[in-house]
Amino acid sequence: MEIIYFKELESTQKHLLENLKENICIWTDNQTNGIGSRGNSWIGEKGNLFFSFSLSKKKLPKDLPIQSISIYFMYILKMVLNSLGSKVVFKWPNDLYLKNKVGGIITNIKNDIIIVGIGLNTNQSSKFDNLDIKVDNLELLKLYFNSLNKTWSEVFEKFEKEFYKYKFITQDIDLSKVKLNKDGSIQINNERIYSLRWKR
């Protein structure tokens, strides 16, 4: 993975989508107009970690459901942070939390290339939580990319054990009381839900 730093970017996700090629990571600690999930903006303060990276669909784990790539990539980041001493937890389907949100992920597919964008409060946040450990942004990126060698089965096994442990409420849904399917979706009234876009 080629890692390229920018002193400032409007959006790492937008930049990568407009300058698309495989196996590259764009990152900055000063993002001025980030893109969040469900059409929201990601408000991040200077000094935190904002990055987007690209991978060919062919390089994804063979057993990874395409609908659950956000879970896969964010949960691995959660595992890396835990290994460094953080108590951060994963909230289905795309956020990292302490008492409040610490980070989020957005994914896109263009020309059979997966574009993953992640914002993580590694330094400071006046609106949300910041990470509970000190990390060097570049070193964290290197460690993260070296950890992207796991199968979906490996990730899901750990995620499934934790899913019911934390009593998260998402759009008035108690996630501890819904069924988690093997493909990363949740089951509500016989309907498989992969994201929060289903509910208005």
Side-chain angles (χ1 to χ4, degrees):
M1 181 72 67
E2 181 183 5
I3 302 175
I4 302 175
Y5 170 74
F6 288 81
K7 292 184 70 173
E8 179 180 303
L9 278 176
E10 180 181 346
S11 163
T12 62
Q13 182 83 174
K14 182 180 178 181
H15 181 90
L16 195 50
L17 283 167
E18 293 175 349
N19 302 274
L20 189 59
K21 63 178 182 178
E22 292 181 27
N23 209 39
I24 187 171
C25 171
I26 302 297
W27 79 280
T28 184
D29 50 16
N30 188 16
Q31 181 171 258
T32 59
N33 190 23
I35 301 172
S37 61
R38 301 183 300 283
N40 298 318
S41 61
W42 172 261
I43 302 172
E45 298 175 21
K46 186 175 180 179
N48 294 317
L49 175 59
F50 314 97
F51 67 102
S52 292
F53 63 95
S54 59
L55 287 173
S56 169
K57 283 178 65 176
K58 296 178 181 178
K59 294 184 179 180
L60 295 175
K62 301 296 184 185
D63 63 340
L64 175 58
I66 198 68
Q67 304 95 328
S68 293
I69 54 177
S70 290
I71 295 174
Y72 175 80
F73 285 113
M74 199 56 150
Y75 195 83
I76 290 178
L77 179 57
K78 177 256 183 198
M79 292 168 65
V80 170
L81 292 170
N82 288 164
S83 74
L84 296 174
S86 174
K87 297 188 184 303
V88 69
V89 298
F90 177 80
K91 178 184 178 183
W92 184 94
N94 51 18
D95 292 327
L96 294 182
Y97 267 71
L98 287 166
K99 288 184 178 179
N100 296 297
K101 187 173 179 177
V102 177
I105 185 171
I106 183 173
T107 54
N108 283 290
I109 303 176
K110 183 178 180 180
N111 300 331
D112 286 332
I113 297 177
I114 307 295
I115 303 99
V116 179
I118 294 177
L120 183 66
N121 295 331
T122 56
N123 185 36
Q124 60 183 350
S125 177
S126 57
K127 184 176 181 180
F128 302 106
D129 273 348
N130 57 282
L131 204 58
D132 54 344
I133 58 172
K134 295 293 183 182
V135 296
D136 178 87
N137 286 339
L138 180 57
E139 292 305 312
L140 177 59
L141 283 176
K142 292 177 180 178
L143 187 58
Y144 176 62
F145 289 127
N146 285 334
S147 301
L148 297 182
N149 56 0
K150 297 173 175 57
T151 65
W152 168 248
S153 297
E154 290 177 281
V155 171
F156 183 79
E157 181 181 5
K158 295 180 181 297
F159 171 49
E160 185 179 30
K161 291 178 181 177
E162 296 182 2
F163 181 79
Y164 300 103
K165 180 178 179 181
Y166 303 105
K167 299 186 182 301
F168 282 120
I169 306 295
T170 297
Q171 294 192 359
D172 299 323
I173 301 166
D174 184 348
L175 293 178
S176 68
K177 295 179 180 179
V178 303
K179 177 185 177 184
L180 177 67
N181 296 311
K182 294 293 185 183
D183 64 355
S185 65
I186 59 174
Q187 194 88 18
I188 300 177
N189 298 326
N190 296 318
E191 182 180 2
R192 285 179 182 263
I193 308 299
Y194 290 93
S195 73
L196 301 180
R197 294 187 181 94
W198 68 283
K199 188 173 181 181
R200 297 290 183 262

